[in-house]
Amino acid sequence: MDSFEINKIVAAVLMVALLVIGIGKLSDVIFHVEKPETPGYTVEVEQVSTASSSTTNAAEEKIDIAALMAMGDIASGEKIFKKCAACHSIIKGGKNAIGPALYNVVGRKVGAVEDYKYSKALAAYEKEWTFEELNGFLKKPAKYIKGTKMAYAGLRKEADRASVIKYLNENSDSPVPLP
């Protein structure tokens, strides 16, 4: 191949590139599109929907604990607790595992097990494990007490939470009377 043929190939490639660029510029002139001042769309949302969601959150926090506990069953709580047994022991004198031992937990101060290193959030939480506190914590531990080390997702079903709370209450030296 001589240099004249290489020049023809290079010229053809350059002509195709110039043709593509020229057609692009020409189409911009022919089909001119006005660009909007602010890109995107505005979505109008009614304020009523946000007000209703905040009232449902308030209603969820005001749970009738007696009605909730009536849904629970100790035998079912024992089965559900098997998920918890991977990290917690429930036997009297049981040792701490990944989580603290839960024997006598109902009515006990939060973060009261002596030989367990709690997260700062649980150590600073100045309440007792009542039925209401356990219900809120078991629903979503990380959301209920922000900063807890407990990585469990929680129990969504009310009957499951009530069953586990009844089972925890039963595993105690002196079970707290149900509401």
Side-chain angles (χ1 to χ4, degrees):
M1 203 188 293
D2 63 349
S3 65
F4 185 68
E5 287 200 26
I6 292 175
N7 286 343
K8 285 195 290 186
I9 293 171
V10 171
V13 170
L14 286 174
M15 284 301 291
V16 169
L18 285 173
L19 187 66
V20 169
I21 292 171
I23 290 174
K25 294 291 183 182
L26 184 64
S27 68
D28 286 343
V29 170
I30 295 172
F31 304 105
H32 179 68
V33 178
E34 297 276 335
K35 293 193 178 182
E37 291 178 18
T38 57
Y41 298 98
T42 58
V43 179
E44 295 182 20
V45 180
E46 294 181 27
Q47 293 297 327
V48 177
S49 63
T50 57
S52 65
S53 67
S54 63
T55 55
T56 54
N57 289 343
E60 284 181 33
E61 290 183 20
K62 294 280 188 177
I63 292 178
D64 183 14
I65 198 68
L68 178 76
M69 294 308 292
M71 290 188 224
D73 175 40
I74 294 173
S76 145
E78 185 175 6
K79 289 178 188 173
I80 297 166
F81 187 81
K82 289 181 181 175
K83 297 176 191 175
C84 309
C87 300
H88 299 278
S89 73
I90 192 70
I91 58 174
K92 185 174 184 172
K95 295 186 178 186
N96 298 323
I98 295 171
L102 296 179
Y103 190 80
N104 275 338
V105 73
V106 180
R108 179 172 75 197
K109 184 182 179 302
V110 175
V113 175
E114 295 297 325
D115 55 343
Y116 183 76
K117 184 172 168 61
Y118 287 95
S119 63
K120 292 178 183 177
L122 275 174
Y125 199 70
E126 294 292 325
K127 294 187 179 182
E128 288 186 355
W129 286 122
T130 61
F131 295 118
E132 293 87 357
E133 289 292 322
L134 283 167
N135 179 55
F137 188 72
L138 289 175
K139 188 173 186 178
K140 255 196 175 163
K143 185 177 178 185
Y144 193 74
I145 300 177
K146 298 210 186 307
T148 182
K149 292 190 296 186
M150 188 164 163
Y152 184 63
L155 295 171
R156 293 182 184 182
K157 296 180 183 174
E158 290 179 341
D160 289 351
R161 288 194 308 271
S163 298
V164 169
I165 293 168
K166 275 187 166 181
Y167 179 69
L168 289 172
N169 188 39
E170 193 66 27
N171 285 286
S172 174
D173 290 332
S174 55
V176 176
L178 296 175

